[in-house]
Amino acid sequence: MIIDAHQHVFWHGRDDTGLIADLDEHDIDLAWLLTWEIAPAEDSPAYHRVLNPEHLRPDGTHAGIVLSDLIKVRNRAPDRFILGYCPHPCLGDAPSLLEAAHRMHGVRVCGEWKFRILFDDPRCLNLYRKAGELGMPVVLHLDVPYLPEKMTGRQVYQSAWYGGTVANLERALQVCPETTFIGHAPGFWREISGDADEAPSNYPEGPIAPGNRIEQLLERYPNLYADLSAGSALRALKRDVAFSRDLLERFQDRILFARDYYGGELLAFLRQLGLSDAAWSAIIQGNAQRLVPLDASPEPASTFALS
């Protein structure tokens, strides 16, 4: 079995039929289907071309990848998808919305968390604690708010930031030890090298410097996992193939195969690494099954009542 632990639908031009065709093409049995709620103030028009035009708001902003679309797709092919959902921590009562989605619609994953708010904001911590209480891993997208200018080192603001830095992530890991977090995206994977603070790009290249913070965080916090989705993880792993193979072997119980979009490039790369059978099995499906067991289901809606 192969489980894609980070996927979307009505995304990059593919509806549910297109997504299932892609899963079939690459022999992927199951995918975690994740939302991305976009608040009006966080809208990035550059993303509009890859999102479902049905969800454009009257003000010209986009609602993102919405739960209602995911529910329809999951209901059409329940054996192919695990449902994820992450409400915006600043809009409404996010912990209650997450619990309602869990009880009513069988949501099993809190994700994708991708918001322009610091990862350790108290409103976020409340949401993480609820996810931990419900046994739901939190899939987070991290993009740093500042990058150094190449020539001068001057810190340049990045308008499309999400979560802050790994320091914000670490504080959340410390205060929410019962919650499982899954790191993802450029702001996370750039930390594969110890010189990340000096890198002027979201996608650094070149040799891996000692002292990387991904290893440090994985060693310190058993509630941190990492997924291999999007170009950020694959680019990071390709910087030093021998180093990456060792990293995946040593942390094989904390890494998840995931794509975020389509195609077989990541699978091909992982197959070329020559991982041990144990590491391959854990990364490709075992860790995902441990975090979200396939034979478990949420409590029925009838047990969830207003007081």
Side-chain angles (χ1 to χ4, degrees):
M1 171 176 276
I2 300 178
I3 298 177
D4 182 349
H6 188 138
Q7 194 52 264
H8 303 291
V9 70
F10 297 106
W11 169 246
H12 283 273
R14 297 211 185 201
D15 60 6
D16 51 324
T17 301
L19 172 56
I20 291 173
D22 176 79
L23 297 176
D24 290 344
E25 180 182 352
H26 301 292
D27 297 319
I28 296 171
D29 301 276
L30 187 73
W32 292 3
L33 209 52
L34 309 181
T35 61
W36 173 25
E37 285 200 349
I38 305 176
E42 297 177 2
D43 183 62
S44 295
Y47 276 106
H48 289 188
R49 65 183 179 83
V50 301
L51 294 166
N52 186 350
E54 289 185 334
H55 301 300
L56 189 72
R57 299 186 182 100
D59 66 357
T61 64
H62 202 287
I65 301 171
V66 302
L67 179 60
S68 58
D69 273 355
L70 271 60
I71 291 170
K72 285 185 228 175
V73 171
R74 188 278 314 269
N75 289 348
R76 289 172 189 158
D79 60 329
R80 302 302 299 270
F81 300 111
I82 296 286
L83 203 58
Y85 165 61
C86 188
H88 197 298
C90 302
L91 302 178
D93 183 348
S96 294
L97 288 168
L98 182 66
E99 183 164 16
H102 177 68
R103 306 293 188 205
M104 295 178 187
H105 301 298
V107 166
R108 309 284 306 283
V109 178
C110 180
E112 179 177 0
W113 189 105
K114 186 177 181 180
F115 309 112
R116 208 151 293 150
I117 178 175
L118 293 177
F119 197 65
D120 54 341
D121 183 284
R123 293 163 291 187
C124 297
L125 299 178
N126 287 337
L127 178 62
Y128 309 147
R129 290 185 177 114
K130 176 56 70 174
E133 175 188 320
L134 296 171
M136 301 167 67
V138 180
V139 179
L140 67 97
H141 182 115
L142 189 60
D143 259 316
V144 295
Y146 291 93
L147 288 173
E149 196 174 56
K150 186 172 184 179
M151 299 302 295
T152 66
R154 181 178 67 90
Q155 295 294 307
V156 180
Y157 177 68
Q158 307 297 304
S159 59
W161 68 273
Y162 301 99
T165 69
V166 289
N168 300 103
L169 168 59
E170 184 166 18
R171 284 190 283 273
L173 291 166
Q174 291 168 346
V175 299
C176 299
E178 303 305 316
T179 302
T180 296
F181 296 92
I182 303 172
H184 145 77
F188 183 82
W189 279 105
R190 70 197 305 275
E191 299 291 345
I192 198 172
S193 184
D195 59 359
D197 287 344
E198 288 75 53
S201 167
N202 275 319
Y203 302 97
E205 299 177 345
I208 300 293
N212 79 82
R213 285 189 283 249
I214 285 182
E215 287 183 284
Q216 294 170 9
L217 291 174
L218 289 170
E219 287 169 351
R220 290 175 193 159
Y221 302 102
N223 58 327
L224 176 64
Y225 286 65
D227 84 33
L228 300 177
S229 64
S232 52
L234 187 57
R235 289 187 189 194
L237 296 176
K238 284 182 173 180
R239 291 176 65 178
D240 186 326
V241 172
F243 173 88
S244 297
R245 184 186 186 283
D246 180 66
L247 179 75
L248 297 185
E249 286 286 351
R250 285 189 294 119
F251 296 103
Q252 61 182 263
D253 61 335
R254 235 92 68 68
I255 307 290
L256 295 95
F257 171 75
R259 296 185 302 159
D260 197 7
Y261 52 86
Y262 315 113
E265 189 178 2
L266 176 62
L267 265 176
F269 175 79
L270 292 176
R271 287 185 171 119
Q272 291 170 4
L273 286 182
L275 295 169
S276 67
D277 289 346
W280 173 264
S281 179
I283 291 168
I284 217 71
Q285 54 91 18
N287 296 330
Q289 288 206 56
R290 189 172 72 254
L291 292 179
V292 182
L294 300 183
D295 58 353
S297 59
E299 298 175 31
S302 59
T303 67
F304 181 57
L306 296 175
S307 57

